[in-house]
Amino acid sequence: MTSPLEQKKIRITGPSMVTANRTWDGVVIYRTSKQGWSADLSDAAIVRTSDEARALLTESIADDVGAIGAYIAPVEVRDGGAIKPGNLREHIRSEGVTIDLPVPA
Amino acid sequence: MYAYDELDRTIINERVEEFRDQVKRRLSGELTEDEFKMLRLQNGVYLQLHAYMFRVAIPYGTLSSKQLRALAHVARRYDRGYGHFTTRQNIQFNWIKLAELPDALADLAEVGIHAMQTSGNNTRNVTSDQWAGVAPGEVEDPRIWSELLRQYTTLHPEFSFLPRKFKFAITASDHDRAAIKVHDIGLRLYKNEAGETGFEVLVGGGLGRTPFIGKTIKPFVHGHDLLSYVEAILRVYNQYGRRDNIYKARIKILVHELGIEKFAREVEEEWLQMRDSALAIDDSVIEDIRSRFTYPAYEKLPHMPDELKKAAHDPHFEAWRKNSVAPHKVPGYAIVTLSLKPVGGPPGDATADQMDAIADLADKYSFGEIRVGHEQNLALPHVARRDLPVLWKALDKIGVATPNVNLVSDIIACPGLDYCSLANARSIPIAQELTRRFANHETANMIGRLHINISGCINACGHHHVGHIGILGVEKNGEEFYQITIGGRADEKAEVGTLIGPAVPYGEVADVIEDIVEAYLALRARPDELFIDTVKRLGVEPFKERVYATR
Amino acid sequence: MPLVKGGKIIADPLIHVADDAEIPGEGAILISAARFLGDAEALSQRAGKTGVIWPNNRDVDDLVPYLGRLAAVALVFPTFRDGRAYSQARLLRERHGFKGELRAIGQVLRDQFVFMLRAGFDAFEVKKESDAEAFAATVKRYSVFYQPTGDGRITALHRRMQLRHSESAGQ
């Protein structure tokens, strides 16, 4: 299996984080700065250089049992430090679908 | 419908146990994701944006009421209470947990439902049209052959690791409701001059990045030779399909690169060496499969029963009847389409409660049978016309009687960026807004038959290429934009649509569609000239001018 | 990498000989197709057993003239997802009647054992020790098969026909 790091250059254009899905249940998770995962975006480790991003991704991918599909995604860091999703896709992953789910009786 | 016997059930159960073992080894780390991914795909398990998605097979779109209740059970027990019917007659659940999947599969196995090969680089669900077996004028029930193909392709040891996915569709009617021309293998069932049953075989149709309309590889393959001929095609594809580039790996690319004549020669050469092998189909085999399809004991019923005469005074009932009820090959019966496209709703979804209610209605009014169409609607295929009024009331109560079948608000849409990790843009909110814009039934009827298809990315799961109006979501600078095409069609006159202009932003799509419809109303030669025919007659230019005049 | 044959792990009777190494006059060997075809006549008549590794992107037709004199053909799964060797195996077994050892090499994993057996493989260079040990149990996963291959197993279709006939015969 070729490392994703060899497949493409990692270049980030702003503050970023690593996100994946939890293997056993598919829940969206974010890589923390403590070599772990959290389902809460506010726990995500923020990287600001391509080297940092690459390192965080490498470490994340190594956890093949706990997480699948890890990738680097943009975040927005507000004044005061609050972390928000950096694009629509990450917004949907963290907040849920943008439509109303059918409501079972 | 086909009655699974012990042999069929054994395969399903053995498959469930195998997958249970595979999941266990994945969660323990014995299998890496790289080793597991293809295995889970072969059981219909995708990773999507928020969760796993589980795609369950509904072979040739036929369900018993018991099976539909089992789907409702899965939605409730393992998911969030609803499911989504797809453009390939399958159902998808969006919130499933991998660890619980073996149990969900085991529950489904009890009623003969499985998820084998609903994803992965193998042969997928063999689809047919939702009126198979009951449509007037059908040559014979194509589902018999779909079932034969289903068995042949299930866990085929040679073809489980093809260069890419492989999809079959079969039609037995002049009007192709199964879209066979945009499948990897399309089969048109007919009888030749000698009265023998056989197939026109088309190959290399498909949508996605490079849409192609299928080409006829052989005008008549005798029913006896169907499996050997299919095996020849698959073998040529397995060996020569490209494996270096996933965007060039479908059979349509191989057919395009070799040319249909050369491809046909390769297949013929292979086929001649094995046509009289164990794959030759005996009449007795066909009859055995046919005998396992149960058909209702239809009564002798009048075409115009009293119940129907009385109900004709109700304009709402009449609006629904004229829209959603189609003729049946048996006098006194009808095919009823259940619209899963309510105004403001996500197209193709049904709640577990709706599924249970529909199952009950199927028991009461349709000999326990339900159909799933690739338009993402359901159908009750055996309804006595005298039951139409009482059925309508019940369907209306559960919200599946919107009289918009085949009209502008009967939209086909993929899940899009709300669910799917492949998507560039959302599709469901676009569909919802369009149903609101065209909610007025008089208006929709005045517009007439109009198929809008929406895909959230170029993979085209919404079949936008073959929509009368096609909408394709793309991404521009982080924003959602949509390319609009017109003039596509998926039936026996299949054609890929033409772009009408530059992509438009999310907020303008509904306006653009309204403009296109207005242009059509102004340009059509007569009120009964369909949108698709006006486009054919006039081309794209007049629409382009009007739509982009102020943009 | 353990070799599984006859349902259990065995010592490999064939020696892989690299392209630049000398080929022994006797003894059982496994060599690349390029090497073999470079001197096919002589090599197919050597004293010991000869096996050839055939690439998965080349027609087996070129090997067919020598099949009668080969002890083994090894077919390649560069990744387990590349299924070309399944077609090659069936052609060698069913069309060309190859009776020697048909060996699966490359990324050979547990979950493909049943498919491989059905396609005609009878020897497996298994990637993981644990998979090799589980071989015998794994191949019992399925007892019903829909489609005919050269493995001689009766298909579900025909089993049904048999049951039907025996039912009606018994009436």
Side-chain angles (χ1 to χ4, degrees):
Chain A
M1 171 181 145
T2 46
S3 155
L5 301 177
E6 286 163 350
Q7 289 165 349
K8 54 183 189 289
K9 277 188 166 338
I10 291 182
R11 231 174 36 88
I12 60 174
T13 54
S16 304
M17 47 95 175
V18 169
T19 180
N21 293 76
R22 198 157 56 195
T23 306
W24 78 268
D25 64 354
V27 161
V28 175
I29 49 181
Y30 306 97
R31 191 67 175 178
T32 67
S33 50
K34 300 196 177 87
Q35 286 85 48
W37 297 98
S38 167
D40 191 341
L41 179 56
S42 57
D43 294 332
I46 305 300
V47 291
R48 292 170 197 276
T49 70
S50 300
D51 283 342
E52 279 174 18
R54 188 175 302 111
L56 190 63
L57 184 61
T58 309
E59 160 206 315
S60 306
I61 286 169
D63 182 11
D64 186 73
V65 177
I68 63 175
Y71 62 95
I72 296 166
V75 291
E76 208 189 291
V77 183
R78 301 267 171 87
D79 302 329
I83 304 172
K84 294 286 164 202
N87 61 22
L88 177 58
R89 180 191 164 105
E90 293 313 316
H91 172 85
I92 291 173
R93 288 177 80 246
S94 99
E95 305 293 313
V97 299
T98 67
I99 55 181
D100 295 328
L101 291 189
V103 178
Chain B
M1 71 210 89
Y2 182 73
Y4 277 47
D5 66 2
E6 209 192 302
L7 295 171
D8 300 306
R9 282 192 290 271
T10 302
I11 290 188
I12 297 180
N13 289 330
E14 288 174 343
R15 175 62 154 202
V16 172
E17 283 319 299
E18 179 182 52
F19 188 58
R20 194 183 287 285
D21 179 66
Q22 290 165 345
V23 170
K24 181 156 155 262
R25 285 154 54 219
R26 172 70 185 106
L27 293 178
S28 74
E30 201 184 322
L31 276 173
T32 64
E33 182 59 21
D34 185 67
E35 292 163 347
F36 179 71
K37 182 173 175 181
M38 187 54 70
L39 303 179
R40 66 168 162 81
L41 287 175
Q42 289 173 345
N43 285 282
V45 183
Y46 280 90
L47 180 66
Q48 294 289 35
L49 287 187
H50 337 258
Y52 287 102
M53 181 269 280
F54 177 40
R55 181 183 295 153
V56 173
I58 301 174
Y60 37 87
T62 299
L63 279 172
S64 69
S65 50
K66 208 166 162 197
Q67 291 173 326
L68 185 53
R69 286 192 193 95
L71 295 175
H73 159 77
V74 165
R76 275 197 197 95
R77 171 85 176 71
Y78 301 100
D79 208 88
R80 293 196 188 178
Y82 68 101
H84 171 74
F85 291 97
T86 76
T87 52
R88 297 217 76 243
Q89 299 182 305
N90 294 319
I91 185 172
Q92 289 176 179
F93 300 103
N94 298 298
W95 307 94
I96 214 95
K97 301 180 171 64
L98 181 65
E100 292 183 346
L101 260 168
D103 286 342
L105 278 165
D107 289 354
L108 291 173
E110 284 179 28
V111 293
I113 295 188
H114 63 83
M116 291 189 272
Q117 298 171 206
T118 54
S119 186
N121 294 337
N122 47 34
T123 49
R124 307 284 189 87
N125 190 17
V126 179
T127 52
S128 190
D129 80 77
Q130 66 276 26
W131 293 357
V134 292
E138 198 178 60
V139 175
E140 65 175 69
D141 191 344
R143 296 174 304 155
I144 309 235
W145 299 93
S146 307
E147 175 58 26
L148 194 55
L149 265 177
R150 182 194 74 81
Q151 294 190 14
Y152 164 73
T153 56
T154 299
L155 303 182
H156 196 305
E158 187 180 350
F159 303 127
S160 290
F161 296 95
L162 295 171
R164 201 76 174 87
K165 63 180 105 167
F166 203 94
K167 301 177 181 179
F168 294 82
I170 310 186
T171 183
S173 290
D174 286 337
H175 179 53
D176 176 13
R177 286 173 293 273
I180 70 167
K181 288 193 159 183
V182 291
H183 279 76
D184 298 280
I185 287 183
L187 298 167
R188 183 177 68 83
L189 190 160
Y190 70 104
K191 289 202 206 286
N192 66 6
E193 271 152 22
E196 299 166 314
T197 300
F199 299 87
E200 178 189 0
V201 181
L202 296 94
V203 289
L207 303 176
R209 229 158 279 258
T210 39
F212 280 101
I213 304 296
K215 299 181 178 61
T216 303
I217 181 178
K218 208 161 168 80
F220 184 80
V221 171
H222 196 287
H224 297 152
D225 297 324
L226 179 66
L227 294 184
S228 59
Y229 195 73
V230 164
E231 179 140 309
I233 294 175
L234 286 171
R235 182 166 297 147
V236 170
Y237 174 55
N238 188 43
Q239 293 185 283
Y240 302 112
R242 287 179 68 162
R243 293 194 188 246
D244 58 316
N245 180 341
I246 64 161
Y247 303 124
K248 303 223 164 146
R250 296 287 288 273
I251 195 173
K252 64 189 178 187
I253 305 294
L254 182 62
V255 170
H256 181 68
E257 287 183 353
L258 286 180
I260 183 67
E261 289 88 16
K262 180 145 194 263
F263 182 79
R265 276 199 303 275
E266 295 278 337
V267 170
E268 190 76 9
E269 207 185 291
E270 173 59 34
W271 181 56
L272 288 175
Q273 299 184 70
M274 35 90 92
R275 69 179 289 190
D276 295 318
S277 66
L279 284 174
I281 307 168
D282 246 307
D283 280 336
S284 58
V285 165
I286 300 167
E287 284 324 301
D288 181 76
I289 299 224
R290 198 190 301 278
S291 74
R292 284 169 204 283
F293 272 85
T294 55
Y295 294 94
Y298 296 112
E299 298 172 57
K300 273 203 163 51
L301 294 178
H303 179 71
M304 203 36 155
D306 289 333
E307 292 90 338
L308 213 47
K309 286 190 198 131
K310 275 191 230 145
H313 301 297
D314 181 345
H316 293 293
F317 170 74
E318 279 295 289
W320 172 82
R321 187 188 61 78
K322 289 189 182 123
N323 174 265
S324 306
V325 177
H328 195 284
K329 72 178 190 191
V330 176
Y333 284 83
I335 305 170
V336 174
T337 300
L338 280 55
S339 168
L340 295 184
K341 320 287 177 73
V343 174
D349 284 8
T351 65
D353 289 343
Q354 283 176 318
M355 291 185 219
D356 278 336
I358 293 167
D360 289 343
L361 292 172
D363 279 337
K364 264 203 166 99
Y365 302 113
S366 184
F367 294 91
E369 190 172 332
I370 303 103
R371 302 292 180 83
V372 181
H374 76 89
E375 297 88 1
Q376 302 176 309
N377 287 324
L378 301 179
L380 293 176
H382 312 292
V383 179
R385 285 170 62 83
R386 70 172 173 220
D387 292 331
L388 289 173
V390 63
L391 174 62
W392 168 66
K393 288 210 174 75
L395 293 173
D396 195 38
K397 216 158 165 214
I398 58 175
V400 296
T402 312
N404 63 354
V405 175
N406 290 326
L407 299 180
V408 61
S409 57
D410 183 7
I411 298 168
I412 297 171
C414 73
L417 186 57
D418 279 299
Y419 289 101
C420 182
S421 56
L422 300 173
N424 290 316
R426 286 170 293 163
S427 52
I428 298 176
I430 303 277
Q432 289 173 305
E433 179 59 19
L434 286 171
T435 62
R436 286 189 281 263
R437 299 282 181 104
F438 292 102
N440 183 291
H441 295 134
E442 267 92 58
T443 309
N445 276 310
M446 191 219 355
I447 295 167
R449 177 184 278 253
L450 177 48
H451 300 304
I452 298 182
N453 293 58
I454 310 178
S455 301
C457 79
I458 194 57
N459 287 298
C461 300
H463 293 186
H464 65 280
H465 294 295
V466 290
H468 295 170
I469 298 178
I471 303 175
L472 168 65
V474 298
E475 196 213 306
K476 271 210 296 207
N477 304 320
E479 301 287 320
E480 294 164 298
F481 274 73
Y482 298 81
Q483 289 182 356
I484 320 279
T485 58
I486 61 173
R489 48 194 305 175
D491 59 9
E492 65 280 357
K493 302 191 189 121
E495 235 183 281
V496 172
T498 308
L499 202 58
I500 63 162
V504 298
Y506 177 88
E508 285 182 38
V509 175
D511 293 336
V512 167
I513 304 305
E514 279 191 320
D515 287 348
I516 293 174
V517 172
E518 269 189 44
Y520 154 67
L521 292 174
L523 291 166
R524 66 184 180 183
R526 306 171 306 277
D528 67 355
E529 183 181 58
L530 297 179
F531 173 88
I532 188 64
D533 294 324
T534 304
V535 172
K536 186 82 188 178
R537 179 169 59 84
L538 297 175
V540 162
E541 277 312 310
F543 291 90
K544 199 174 173 165
E545 277 165 30
R546 281 157 198 263
V547 169
Y548 285 89
T550 53
R551 291 192 166 86
Chain C
M1 206 164 302
L3 178 72
V4 173
K5 193 167 180 183
K8 49 192 204 300
I9 301 173
I10 62 167
D12 195 344
L14 305 175
I15 299 178
H16 284 245
V17 178
D19 279 353
D20 54 0
E22 209 186 300
I23 292 180
E26 294 172 337
I29 60 165
L30 190 59
I31 54 176
S32 75
R35 188 88 188 266
F36 176 78
L37 292 172
D39 196 10
E41 280 310 318
L43 286 170
S44 58
Q45 289 172 54
R46 59 183 281 283
K49 291 187 178 172
T50 307
V52 175
I53 303 171
W54 195 256
N56 77 345
N57 59 358
R58 188 169 177 171
D59 273 352
V60 296
D61 291 347
D62 295 340
L63 188 59
V64 165
Y66 309 102
L67 282 179
R69 286 165 279 171
L70 289 175
V73 176
L75 300 175
V76 187
F77 294 90
T79 80
F80 76 93
R81 292 177 292 268
D82 184 334
R84 284 177 276 189
Y86 292 105
S87 287
Q88 292 180 315
R90 289 196 69 198
L91 289 170
L92 284 172
R93 277 287 188 235
E94 298 172 45
R95 184 157 306 161
H96 302 294
F98 179 62
K99 301 269 183 299
E101 175 185 296
L102 202 52
R103 182 186 290 204
I105 68 174
Q107 191 183 25
V108 177
L109 303 173
R110 182 188 314 202
D111 298 289
Q112 285 81 52
F113 290 159
V114 174
F115 289 144
M116 290 174 177
L117 276 170
R118 297 249 293 135
F121 289 98
D122 59 347
F124 309 84
E125 277 182 26
V126 180
K127 187 159 173 262
K128 302 183 197 177
E129 193 77 39
S130 53
D131 283 353
E133 282 159 12
F135 188 92
T138 305
V139 301
K140 293 205 205 104
R141 274 183 187 166
Y142 287 94
S143 63
V144 178
F145 306 92
Y146 276 135
Q147 56 288 106
T149 66
D151 68 356
R153 275 190 255 236
I154 187 173
T155 65
L157 271 175
H158 286 101
R159 233 209 260 187
R160 266 190 217 116
M161 304 299 294
Q162 278 183 344
L163 288 170
R164 272 206 138 182
H165 289 139
S166 60
E167 271 167 33
S168 50
Q171 270 152 13

